[in-house]
Amino acid sequence: MSQCAEAAAVAATVPGAGMGKAGLRPPMVPRQASFFPPPVPNPFVQQTRMGAARRLQILFLGIILLPIRALLVALIILLAWPFAAISTACCPEKLTHPITGWRREITQPVLKFLGHALFFSMGFIVTMKGKVARPMEAPILVAAPHSTFFDGIACVAAGLPSMVSRNENAQVPLIGRLLRALQPVLVSRVDPDSRKNTINEIVRRATSGGQWPQILVFPEGTCTNRSCLITFKPGAFIPGVPVQPILLRYPNKLDTVTWTWQGYTFIQLCMLTFCQPFTKVEVEFMPVQKPNDEEKSDPVVFAGRVRNLMAEALGIPVTDHTYEDCRLMISAGQLTLPMEAGLVEFTKISRKLKLDWDGIRKQLDEYAIIASSSKGGRIGIEEFAEYLKLPVSDVLRQLFALFDRNHDGSIDFREYVIGLAVLCNPANTEDIIQVAFKLFDVDEDGYITEEEFTTILQAALGVPDLDVSGLFKEIAQGDSVSYEEFKSFALKHPEYAKIFTTYLDLQTCHVFSLPNEVQPAPLVASNKVSPENHDESTSDKKDD
């Protein structure tokens, strides 16, 4: 009997190695509660459905209301511009000192009045609850959920505090001058130090003892559909000063304001909103929240507590989505996947699995290759087997089940990322790769032939007539596979690591089920695999 046949025979004696037998398998990895799917799968999509009657109503009202409201908005902006120009005259674009004196005393009340008039002309009926805190009480205001460009209502309701805005917005004609009148904290996308400078500026203003206006921040950093509160970015909480939460609600039967990554465009929402008889909005000022000593030293903890408090008041859940999920959504769309396929709850995944955006983006490319032939952007057992160039078997089903965390018969991108990080990458160590190579290299000549490769995989997967020539050719550059080729392939395809470790576990189960006197020595890496151990090669082979 050849060495390959002997290896196959040993594997075949392992209980459960064949098809259809449960046998002794590695225990299932427990499902950590922290990795359960989020209560809201996609907070970045909004689908407003309108019946025929509603469409007719919008059409008839739009004929009258749309031109009138558009004219009023333009007129109010033109009236506000001279006062904004007076307020910011002779001031640099990036302020080093707050605007004070007669210019602020004259222009501020007028701009507040025109701000209320602007949203009234758009048809908004604003209901305010609570009271705005004074700058000394709460230097920073945090508003959520952020769901639309109309959320600027919060700025008007709070008395025109400063805001954090992109530098490009200050360059827009008319609108840019109005923005500069708010004394904003400007962020530059081209400056690599912009984030650090922005945080330093927020800290400087927040700790100025009331010299600067309050700063209004939307800590979510992007728009959602208000179904949950996503991760709060810590910028507003880094100064360690008291903050006042502001809740925004739009209690309308027809939602014409939500501006998400999937839904109506800016122009469409403006037209739909202007065509409504009125649009209700509620702005609630919650009690000021003061950080404790732990929260002063850890702004993430402070941000989390404030978010939970706001979510409880709104009656909605929290998720760990963030702006990086939106970027992954766009990437998924570019890869011809459904956009929602890119959602992974980036904050949680990156923190718990130590992954960065570039790494997850690279995995999205690999996922798209597997899921390109499936419907809905999810991987089924057939696509999984086809990608691995292996047949559907007991071992492959168990590997698939480890990835399929919610047991719905498919793997989404989030499950794929978690599976690689939790199951495959830890098993894809140098030691495991060496032992796996030793396992395939039956004659210990430092190379794996196609016969050796086929024999071991047939035994590992329990498929006697398995054809793995396609997979072998993908690994080998010639008629056999060297250790470096094997290692390179294993590192690029960590999905196979779990198959190797499963087979090793099967052998271990078999060894420990034998009487002590017939138990063989444990597998060790071949010296031809690990050249650094060359001096001990002879004795090692004799011991084996």
Side-chain angles (χ1 to χ4, degrees), residues 84-93 95 99 103 177 180:
I86 293 172
S87 176
T88 58
C90 302
C91 293
E93 188 172 286
L95 297 173
I99 298 174
R103 288 189 299 179
R177 181 64 70 170
R180 288 176 57 191

Side-chain angles (χ1 to χ4, degrees), residues 83 86-87 99-111:
F83 293 94
I86 293 172
S87 176
I99 298 174
T100 58
W102 64 270
R103 288 189 299 179
R104 181 167 178 81
E105 292 176 1
I106 292 176
T107 59
Q108 196 73 0
V110 176
L111 291 176

Side-chain angles (χ1 to χ4, degrees), residues 76-95 99 103 107-108 111 160 165-184 186:
I76 292 172
I77 292 176
L78 289 174
L79 287 174
W81 187 87
F83 293 94
I86 293 172
S87 176
T88 58
C90 302
C91 293
E93 188 172 286
K94 288 192 175 182
L95 297 173
I99 298 174
R103 288 189 299 179
T107 59
Q108 196 73 0
L111 291 176
L160 300 185
S165 179
R166 291 184 302 166
N167 191 51
E168 294 83 356
N169 294 338
Q171 310 299 326
V172 179
L174 292 177
I175 303 299
R177 181 64 70 170
L178 296 175
L179 177 63
R180 288 176 57 191
L182 300 177
Q183 306 178 65
L186 296 177

